[in-house]
Amino acid sequence: MSGLLRRLAVATAGMTVLAAAVWGAYGLTGLQEGGSSGEAVTLYDPRDARQVAGTADDVFAGTVVRRSGERDVYGVFSDLYAVRVGHVFKGQLRGTVAVSYEQGHQPLTEGSSYVFATGRVPDGRSHAVLLETTLTPITGLTAPAHAPSPDSGPATASTPASVPAMSAVNAPAGRTVAEYWTWAVRHEIDVSPR
């Protein structure tokens, strides 16, 4: 009988360690504080354009044609937009593409241009703006790139930035939107696990 009690005690201790590990991981995600479901899987710093460029499948300047609906991509509720691709910094996109943008952000404005850092959605026909990046309108590719500092938080409509809430970590000063994103793509940092 003592062998059975010993195995039961070891199993109980193992379950306690497992429960503590799961609870600890839950605490790191921020979900208990109202975080989004994407926060637990974001491996890149959304304020660092180099990491965003390294994570994105495509980085491009585009103009919103229209809002075309809503979608659920693995539990992330998003607005769906038709976006006309302008200048491509990374990837091969052309024409008008479907882009999802996580709900909870300021909706994109029809006719406005933005720099999009996107990943391909598993359906193969559309793209999603990387989680935790915040898009703000740009006036053009030759406009100055206003990148917030790493500790300034995300850009907002009242503090316009030409980048999706990212810092200019080691970015050359005084660059245009096009120069900034060309630099970010050339110096991209891949943070994906190997």
Side-chain angles (χ1 to χ4, degrees):
M1 192 68 152
S2 66
L4 178 61
L5 287 175
R6 187 175 318 149
R7 281 186 259 151
L8 184 59
V10 169
T12 302
M15 292 301 290
T16 302
V17 169
L18 180 61
V22 169
W23 183 255
Y26 173 75
L28 291 174
T29 64
L31 292 176
Q32 74 279 12
E33 298 166 3
S36 75
S37 58
E39 290 180 36
V41 297
T42 303
L43 299 175
Y44 58 92
D45 180 351
R47 298 166 299 168
D48 187 338
R50 298 169 304 157
Q51 289 186 30
V52 170
T55 302
D57 293 317
D58 300 283
V59 178
F60 63 96
T63 303
V64 175
V65 177
R66 69 184 169 284
R67 182 180 177 277
S68 54
E70 296 179 348
R71 70 173 349 161
D72 175 356
V73 181
Y74 295 118
V76 177
F77 295 98
S78 304
D79 292 318
L80 189 60
Y81 295 91
V83 176
R84 186 174 45 256
V85 176
H87 184 84
V88 176
F89 298 102
K90 178 180 179 180
Q92 303 293 320
L93 295 179
R94 301 285 181 257
T96 300
V97 297
V99 175
S100 298
Y101 188 45
E102 185 180 12
Q103 292 178 348
H105 295 286
Q106 181 72 31
L108 302 181
T109 304
E110 188 174 310
S112 291
S113 296
Y114 304 84
V115 174
F116 294 87
T118 65
R120 290 183 194 96
V121 176
D123 69 9
R125 298 182 319 259
S126 60
H127 306 268
V129 173
L130 296 182
L131 293 174
E132 297 187 37
T133 59
T134 303
L135 301 179
T136 55
I138 60 172
T139 57
L141 294 175
T142 59
H146 302 286
S149 67
D151 44 330
S152 67
T156 65
S158 61
T159 58
S162 302
V163 297
M166 296 165 213
S167 69
V169 178
N170 298 323
R175 299 297 174 140
T176 66
V177 171
E179 291 168 335
Y180 179 79
W181 279 103
T182 299
W183 170 85
V185 168
R186 282 189 189 144
H187 297 90
E188 69 182 35
I189 298 171
D190 183 0
V191 297
S192 61
R194 304 259 178 228

